[in-house]
Amino acid sequence: MTDTDIDSARRQLEQERARLERDKLEFESRKLQRVTIAVSIVALLVSSLQVGVAWLQTRLARAQTVEKFIPHLQRPETRDAALLTMAAFSDQGFVTQLAEKLKATSVLETLQSRGTAPEQARAGEALNALDAQRRALFEQIYDRDKAMRIRATTELVRQWATDPKLVPELLAIAAAPARVQNSSGTVNALVVLREATPEALRANAADLQPFLDAARGNGTQTAALVEAVRGRMAAAP
């Protein structure tokens, strides 16, 4: 073998060694990438599990809180105080949602004045939604459809009786001469007023008394309801 052949063989060996080194480095790089990806996936899964556990714990704590307050939330005289107490140590967004479902407008007005800007905005949105619902129900008690009138009157009696805006806003609609002449609607309005709180009736006596006087002449049923509303207004606190 000549010197030229030896040099050629040496160069081939060096090239082969360099290729093997490159392959080794590429293999190690790919291996490191796979390990990095695997570690990232594991970390993401662990993080997701932690978030899920935290979410479940939050939901559980919220359910336990509501459970403790259910007896107070069911009674109109203690409902608002219970909601405000919950707001002191619970998520205000959740209390806002609960207050909206319970038609607790006074609580929402309080929540609108405190908390973060988004929380205040959410309380304001809830108040606007309830205002729209209330107005729609007032219109529906005068609807031509009897089933619609009954449904709206029932909802106002069952869910809105303690709402501070119920009496003044209903009187603003019901006292109009055209409304008073609507005998079915006037009967429904009187049924709702009969279930309002005595305090709310007395606070709006200046507008209530003229309406009662005007409605009294609509018939025997209306006259009886007028007296029932007056009796409710005179009831002890």
Side-chain angles (χ1 to χ4, degrees), residues 138 141-142 152-154 156-158 160-175 180 185-202 204-205 207-213 215 222 225-235:
F138 288 158
I141 67 175
Y142 293 92
T153 303
T154 301
L156 286 168
V157 167
R158 291 182 177 177
W160 296 82
T162 60
D163 178 26
K165 295 183 179 180
L166 176 75
V167 174
E169 292 193 3
L170 177 55
L171 287 173
I173 294 174
V180 175
T186 296
V187 165
N188 294 333
L190 288 167
V191 168
V192 174
L193 291 170
R194 184 186 60 189
E195 303 302 322
T197 64
E199 294 80 9
L201 294 175
R202 285 193 287 269
N204 294 275
D207 294 321
L208 177 59
Q209 291 290 8
F211 167 68
L212 296 178
D213 292 338
T222 307
L225 285 169
V226 166
E227 293 308 312
V229 174
R230 284 176 171 157
R232 177 74 166 167
M233 182 167 54

Side-chain angles (χ1 to χ4, degrees), residues 79-159:
R79 181 198 64 191
D80 289 3
L83 286 169
L84 291 174
T85 301
M86 291 173 61
F89 60 86
S90 183
D91 175 56
Q92 183 165 315
F94 168 69
V95 176
T96 296
Q97 292 178 349
L98 189 57
E100 182 177 2
K101 291 183 182 297
L102 295 175
K103 312 293 190 295
T105 54
S106 294
V107 173
L108 289 171
E109 288 173 352
T110 300
L111 296 178
Q112 192 180 22
S113 65
R114 69 191 198 191
T116 64
E119 289 172 341
Q120 292 177 351
R122 179 67 187 87
E125 292 171 0
L127 280 170
N128 291 336
L130 290 178
D131 285 342
Q133 290 179 35
R134 190 191 306 105
R135 288 193 298 269
L137 290 170
F138 288 158
E139 292 297 327
Q140 289 167 9
I141 67 175
Y142 293 92
D143 198 89
R144 293 182 179 181
D145 182 69
K146 182 178 180 180
M148 176 71 76
R149 295 197 304 269
I150 293 174
R151 185 197 65 79
T153 303
T154 301
E155 183 172 342
L156 286 168
V157 167
R158 291 182 177 177
Q159 300 185 31

